[in-house]
Amino acid sequence: MLKKTGNILLFILPFISSPLIAEDVQVEATVNSEEIGLNDTLIYSLNITTGFNIEPSQIKFPDFSGFKKISQNESSKMNIIIGTGQTFTKVKTYDFQLMPNRTGQIEIKPATVIIKGKTYQTRSIKINVLSASRSTGNRVQKPSIGKLFQSPFDFDGDDFPFETKVNDDDIILQAVVDKKSVFAGEEFVYSLYLLSAVSIYDIEQLNLPRFEGAWSEDIYNPKKFTSEQKRVGSRVYNVYLLKRKAVFPDKTGVYEIENASIILNVVSGFNQRRLTRQTPALKIDVKPLPAKGMPADFPAYNVGDYRVSFSVTPQKQPMDKPFTLSVVVEGTGNINAFAVPKLKDNPDLRFYDPVIKTEVQTDNRIYGGKKTYEYLLFSRRTGKINIPSFDVYYFKPETSTYEKVSVSGLSIEATAAESSGNIVSRSNNNGNSDSVMSIRFINHLQDGFSGLSIKSFLIFVLVSPMFFLLICLVDFGKFIYIYFGFDSEISKSRRRLKRLIVEIDRMYNKQDKDGLIKNIYQALCEMFVIKYNVNLNGMTRENLKEMMSARGIKEEVIKDIEEILDTYEFVKFSSSNILQPDIYRLFNKFREIIREFGE
């Protein structure tokens, strides 16, 4: 008697301890299409989701007025959330196969379900019935990228893609692939199934292959394992899809997928058992990409089915503002690794490295998405400029051919830079004299007043009649005012530059990248105004370089100035942090420029 009682407790213990029975109830009615032909069939499904041990007390189906009922099926499946606080839910489905009696709009009334004294009601569904010749209901649509799959078990109508006859074990772990032969870089899909003819208590451990020598991406990685009841061989199993991955092998030859294994506890009758299962290794034949027609420097992962589009915006604007060249690649394949050629500067345009945005999209067994390259470019001259064409290549496995998309026919029009006076805004920072940089050179950047000297003026005062003394004193005051440049633009630029140098030193100590670059650029503008009476605004890079060479500025200093201007333009106009300038490098370059200008 005690032994029998112990067996009963062992049976019910898993259901009253760790597992939790979900109490949420959902009742939903669906149809396979809301528009069918007169000779087509409609599948109406009533799905009732309850706790593991909860049953509806009453179900009232619609009368299906306007349809002829051909067949009715009933099925159920169990959902398990494996892990801490695991839960069980049960989904019971009633499928009705219907055929319309007439054309026009037919309304299917709501279904009513009573569970634990509470009434649940579905929505009404309106079906548009067309004539037989206009039917669209039976057209089979291939899954499109970006549309999330409804069922992870969808395999083009096949129950399951098992190629071997399963045995009569209670628990089976089965690994399958959708292809036995692929090209290097081509996608194949690996799926791992668990078939159970007994109740699963919990999963202790799941070991997946490492897929070494390949790029792999998750397609289906559930936290909630959903089962479907299927007859496989001579038995009915609850079938769980545990994992699905897109795999892109990069080495040719035989690619071997190592074993997957699982350790789990099951309940069978009055016993609880701990089982271990392992899949056999799988082998894939990986063929090299054809040598015939292969472009030079072909990217190894540009393998798949893609579409390439491109555009430039805006098409016309001042030459001191950037244009954006966008190249968009979308389709199926290893979208993360897809590559386009590197663009190079030319006499008319300067290109920056692109900002790359990737949007991954999957359906039940296809991996792909959309990848956007945004190039920031500046014109080097005014007028209409043609953007040099370049080619994007990819290999299409279905046709075993290399496809080429030429990015060509794009042009921009650059107008003269907009003039805005002195481009350097006045600094509001009150700098102190404790900057580590020397600012003594500033007073030597511009020649002083070259008029009447102090000595000549004193002699004039001594020999002049007294009645000229008042006038001379007034003139002397004006002279002092002008000599020290209290009202000159040069003097104002000197004061602004002093404050900027102190601020640059502070930004460097704070490691403030944006603030440092902005203030260095403003300081350069002030230095050119003070030293050469030149505004950087509106000057082309070529004109600026010619001017600096003519003024005797060293070649290495010119390169430093151009690098600082390039960095400033990119940080100013780009919305991305893809460029991470070396603050220490920029700071030291600016110090070298100061020494050059101060000599």
Side-chain angles (χ1 to χ4, degrees):
M1 181 67 181
L2 288 176
K3 183 177 181 181
K4 184 181 294 185
T5 304
N7 288 337
I8 294 174
L9 289 175
L10 180 62
F11 173 72
I12 66 173
L13 182 60
F15 303 101
I16 63 175
S17 56
S18 176
L20 302 175
I21 308 303
E23 297 294 337
D24 292 338
V25 175
Q26 294 181 2
V27 178
E28 181 184 20
T30 61
V31 292
N32 63 330
S33 177
E34 293 186 356
E35 186 175 78
I36 63 173
L38 185 61
N39 295 330
D40 296 330
T41 56
L42 178 75
I43 305 300
Y44 173 92
S45 300
L46 178 63
N47 302 302
I48 305 173
T49 304
T50 64
F52 184 74
N53 57 351
I54 299 175
E55 293 289 341
S57 58
Q58 184 178 345
I59 302 175
K60 183 180 179 181
F61 299 105
D63 58 9
F64 300 116
S65 176
F67 292 92
K68 177 183 177 182
K69 185 163 45 174
I70 300 174
S71 64
Q72 176 180 345
N73 295 315
E74 178 182 333
S75 63
S76 63
K77 63 182 179 181
M78 182 175 66
N79 299 333
I80 303 177
I81 301 178
I82 303 297
T84 306
Q86 48 199 303
T87 64
F88 295 80
T89 61
K90 181 173 64 176
V91 180
K92 201 163 189 176
T93 301
Y94 298 89
D95 292 323
F96 294 85
Q97 189 174 9
L98 309 171
M99 180 172 287
N101 294 328
R102 58 179 175 83
T103 60
Q105 191 175 80
I106 304 177
E107 182 178 1
I108 301 176
K109 300 296 184 181
T112 303
V113 181
I114 300 177
I115 302 173
K116 287 190 171 182
K118 187 174 181 180
T119 301
Y120 300 86
Q121 195 173 60
T122 66
R123 65 184 179 96
S124 62
I125 302 175
K126 294 180 179 180
I127 307 298
N128 188 25
V129 181
L130 307 175
S131 62
S133 60
R134 299 170 58 195
S135 171
T136 59
N138 283 340
R139 293 178 184 173
V140 178
Q141 296 181 351
K142 294 183 179 180
S144 60
I145 194 72
K147 181 179 180 181
L148 297 179
F149 57 89
Q150 299 299 317
S151 170
F153 302 95
D154 181 15
F155 263 89
D156 289 345
D158 297 333
D159 281 346
F160 288 97
F162 302 144
E163 298 181 1
T164 59
K165 184 178 179 180
V166 298
N167 52 34
D168 292 331
D169 286 349
D170 292 336
I171 296 291
I172 301 169
L173 188 65
Q174 183 89 35
V176 295
V177 291
D178 66 334
K179 300 174 185 176
K180 289 296 186 180
S181 178
V182 296
F183 287 99
E186 181 185 356
E187 171 189 358
F188 72 84
V189 176
Y190 171 91
S191 302
L192 184 63
Y193 291 93
L194 177 66
L195 292 78
S196 174
V198 294
S199 298
I200 298 176
Y201 177 62
D202 66 3
I203 294 177
E204 289 187 13
Q205 186 175 337
L206 177 63
N207 299 316
L208 298 171
R210 290 172 292 180
F211 298 104
E212 294 182 351
W215 186 306
S216 64
E217 298 283 356
D218 286 338
I219 294 180
Y220 183 68
N221 186 27
K223 295 182 179 179
K224 176 180 179 181
F225 295 126
T226 302
S227 70
E228 289 189 7
Q229 287 188 347
K230 296 289 182 179
R231 179 174 293 277
V232 182
S234 60
R235 302 189 68 179
V236 176
Y237 290 90
N238 286 316
V239 184
Y240 301 87
L241 178 57
L242 303 181
K243 189 75 171 181
R244 180 167 287 160
K245 294 181 77 73
V247 185
F248 306 88
D250 52 21
K251 295 182 179 179
T252 59
V254 177
Y255 181 75
E256 184 169 335
I257 304 173
E258 60 188 5
N259 313 90
S261 63
I262 192 171
I263 302 174
L264 72 167
N265 294 296
V266 300
V267 177
S268 179
F270 295 101
N271 299 314
Q272 180 174 326
R273 293 183 292 164
R274 184 174 184 268
L275 302 177
T276 301
R277 292 291 184 268
Q278 180 175 284
T279 66
L282 300 176
K283 295 182 179 180
I284 304 292
D285 179 28
V286 182
K287 301 174 292 185
L289 296 177
K292 183 178 180 181
M294 178 183 288
D297 300 324
F298 180 76
Y301 282 108
N302 283 22
V303 180
D305 189 2
Y306 294 101
R307 298 174 301 280
V308 182
S309 59
F310 46 90
S311 63
V312 62
T313 56
Q315 294 184 335
K316 179 179 180 180
Q317 71 171 357
M319 62 179 298
D320 60 338
K321 294 183 179 179
F323 297 83
T324 300
L325 171 64
S326 298
V327 180
V328 180
V329 181
E330 54 185 332
T332 58
N334 192 350
I335 193 67
N336 282 306
F338 194 96
V340 302
K342 182 177 177 61
L343 305 186
K344 298 181 180 179
D345 290 349
N346 60 70
D348 294 329
L349 295 169
R350 288 184 293 117
F351 289 90
Y352 288 101
D353 289 337
V355 175
I356 303 175
K357 302 174 184 177
T358 304
E359 302 174 31
V360 173
Q361 299 171 330
T362 63
D363 68 1
N364 66 323
R365 58 172 183 169
I366 300 175
Y367 186 88
K370 178 180 178 182
K371 195 168 190 176
T372 303
Y373 297 80
E374 292 185 350
Y375 297 87
L376 202 65
L377 56 95
F378 284 85
S379 62
R380 295 181 185 270
R381 62 173 178 82
T382 59
K384 185 176 181 180
I385 302 174
N386 293 323
I387 297 176
S389 63
F390 60 94
D391 299 325
V392 178
Y393 290 94
Y394 65 91
F395 179 77
K396 191 173 182 178
E398 292 182 0
T399 58
S400 300
T401 57
Y402 293 94
E403 304 292 332
K404 180 178 77 171
V405 179
S406 295
V407 180
S408 60
L410 297 176
S411 64
I412 58 174
E413 184 175 352
T415 59
E418 296 176 350
S419 177
S420 58
N422 189 356
I423 62 171
V424 184
S425 60
R426 301 189 179 190
S427 173
N428 294 322
N429 301 312
N430 294 322
N432 299 318
S433 60
D434 58 351
S435 171
V436 298
M437 289 187 181
S438 172
I439 59 175
R440 290 177 295 173
F441 76 96
I442 297 175
N443 291 325
H444 304 286
L445 290 178
Q446 180 73 9
D447 292 337
F449 176 69
S450 57
L452 187 65
S453 66
I454 297 178
K455 181 178 179 181
S456 300
F457 181 76
L458 291 176
I459 294 174
F460 172 76
V461 171
L462 292 174
V463 299
S464 297
M466 293 299 295
F467 60 85
F468 288 114
L469 182 59
L470 182 60
I471 299 174
C472 291
L473 289 174
V474 173
D475 289 339
F476 180 77
K478 290 182 178 179
F479 163 76
I480 295 297
Y481 191 74
I482 294 173
Y483 181 83
F484 288 100
F486 293 122
D487 62 339
S488 68
E489 290 299 323
I490 299 298
S491 179
K492 294 175 184 177
S493 289
R494 286 197 190 104
R495 293 196 296 272
R496 287 195 293 267
L497 182 56
K498 290 178 183 179
R499 290 195 293 268
L500 284 169
I501 291 176
V502 174
E503 187 66 12
I504 289 169
D505 195 49
R506 189 175 71 85
M507 292 292 102
Y508 175 73
N509 292 329
K510 288 178 57 180
Q511 295 292 292
D512 184 342
K513 176 195 69 176
D514 294 335
L516 180 71
I517 295 172
K518 177 182 177 183
N519 283 284
I520 286 178
Y521 174 76
Q522 292 177 342
L524 279 179
C525 293
E526 295 289 3
M527 290 165 64
F528 273 93
V529 170
I530 296 170
K531 184 74 173 178
Y532 303 117
N533 196 25
V534 170
N535 247 330
L536 292 182
N537 186 41
M539 291 190 68
T540 65
R541 195 59 54 82
E542 286 70 24
N543 291 340
L544 177 61
K545 187 174 181 179
E546 291 176 2
M547 185 273 294
M548 290 189 291
S549 298
R551 301 281 181 159
I553 299 178
K554 297 177 181 178
E555 185 66 28
E556 56 269 21
V557 177
I558 293 176
K559 291 181 179 180
D560 290 344
I561 292 173
E562 288 181 329
E563 181 177 339
I564 289 175
L565 295 178
D566 285 343
T567 304
Y568 171 75
E569 286 176 351
F570 188 87
V571 172
K572 177 181 178 181
F573 294 112
S574 176
S575 60
S576 170
N577 290 326
I578 189 171
L579 181 68
Q580 295 294 339
D582 187 337
I583 294 180
Y584 178 78
R585 175 182 171 85
L586 289 176
F587 184 74
N588 284 336
K589 284 184 179 297
F590 181 65
R591 296 182 66 179
E592 293 296 326
I593 295 169
I594 284 180
R595 294 190 184 98
E596 174 68 15
F597 274 59
E599 292 179 357

